[in-house]
Amino acid sequence: MKQTVHQIYTLVRKDLVLELRQQYAFYGVLLYIISTVFVINLMMGKPDDKLWNALFWVIQLFVAVNAIAKSFMQENRGRLLYFYSLVPPRVFIAAKLIFNVILMMLMSIIALVCSFTFLGNPLHNTGYFVGIVLLGGTSLSLLFTVLAAIAAQANHNAALMAVMGFPLMMPMLMLLANVSLSAFVTVYQPGLPKMFLLLGGMDLLTIALTMVLFPFLWKD
């Protein structure tokens, strides 16, 4: 157990060091967030509550695609073969999941700050919305990490990730958008705990399926 934790920590640290050295994904996504929010501000000023919420989650979706989907693109076949000889597949994919969750949380906070700066803050419960953003960012990072892993094993076929991702991400985005609407009103909604349980269940299911299926992809 101690060795497994150490291996995961080493792989996460490796990804963090590479990201700090290259910073292609970070600055690319940062430019996308700032430019998108700024253009929205120029075109429509400060949108109403529902439109603000919808635009924010669309931005989150494209942030996840640009930041997380590249996590396996930088791993060529030779490097994957090298990792195959060093660590078990579940350790490798666990490290990728943890790193992508950390990266997506950072990007989510940046997107939220930019949205508040350029589009205003229409929230009645900011703390609640921040929690939803972090939880939603975690869900999107888990989903796109799995899709990126599958696409990487199919010769980095980005079209495959898009085809598989659309029917999987739409229910998640709709659920996140509906849950986050409660931050714009002061009325308590009794159905929120069930939505949170559903979202948490989807995350746990994604992690479980990843741990089961990735070793088979790893062998190929």
Side-chain angles (χ1 to χ4, degrees):
M1 181 65 182
K2 185 176 180 180
Q3 182 181 2
T4 300
V5 173
H6 179 70
Q7 290 175 339
I8 293 175
Y9 170 76
T10 303
L11 290 175
V12 172
R13 183 181 177 185
K14 182 266 298 181
D15 287 332
L16 287 173
V17 170
L18 288 177
E19 185 63 34
L20 290 174
R21 286 180 180 177
Q22 299 175 356
Q23 298 182 348
Y24 295 134
F26 178 79
Y27 285 117
V29 174
L30 183 62
L31 175 62
Y32 167 79
I33 293 173
I34 295 176
S35 60
T36 301
V37 176
F38 183 69
V39 169
I40 293 173
N41 175 262
L42 290 179
M43 295 182 65
M44 61 180 60
K46 295 182 179 180
D48 58 33
D49 295 352
K50 290 186 177 180
L51 185 57
W52 194 100
N53 186 53
L55 290 173
F56 178 80
W57 287 110
V58 169
I59 293 172
Q60 282 288 87
L61 172 61
F62 282 95
V63 167
V65 171
N66 286 278
I68 307 303
K70 295 179 180 179
S71 60
F72 278 87
M73 298 302 175
Q74 62 184 4
E75 308 286 1
N76 54 41
R77 305 290 292 185
R79 186 180 297 177
L80 289 175
L81 182 60
Y82 174 69
F83 288 133
Y84 181 82
S85 64
L86 292 179
V87 296
R90 290 187 177 90
V91 170
F92 181 80
I93 193 61
K96 285 291 185 183
L97 290 172
I98 294 173
F99 170 75
N100 287 336
V101 167
I102 295 172
L103 180 62
M104 188 61 195
M105 282 189 175
L106 176 61
M107 296 297 181
S108 298
I109 295 298
I110 294 174
L112 191 59
V113 171
C114 291
S115 298
F116 286 160
T117 302
F118 292 103
L119 304 180
N121 182 7
L123 303 173
H124 290 283
N125 193 340
T126 304
Y128 170 83
F129 190 81
V130 171
I132 294 297
V133 169
L134 295 178
L135 181 62
T138 301
S139 301
L140 290 174
S141 66
L142 294 175
L143 175 61
F144 280 101
T145 300
V146 178
L147 296 177
I150 297 174
Q153 296 301 320
N155 296 323
H156 300 289
N157 191 342
L160 180 64
M161 185 175 64
V163 171
M164 293 188 303
F166 182 78
L168 296 176
M169 68 183 178
M170 289 306 297
M172 185 176 294
L173 277 179
M174 293 175 63
L175 181 61
L176 288 170
N178 290 330
V179 170
S180 59
L181 279 176
S182 301
F184 295 86
V185 297
T186 56
V187 180
Y188 174 74
Q189 298 184 7
L192 284 179
K194 293 183 179 179
M195 291 187 179
F196 278 108
L197 290 175
L198 180 60
L199 189 59
M202 292 173 64
D203 292 344
L204 292 177
L205 181 61
T206 302
I207 295 174
L209 290 176
T210 303
M211 293 301 172
V212 172
L213 297 177
F214 185 76
F216 297 98
L217 294 173
W218 186 261
K219 291 179 182 179
D220 294 335

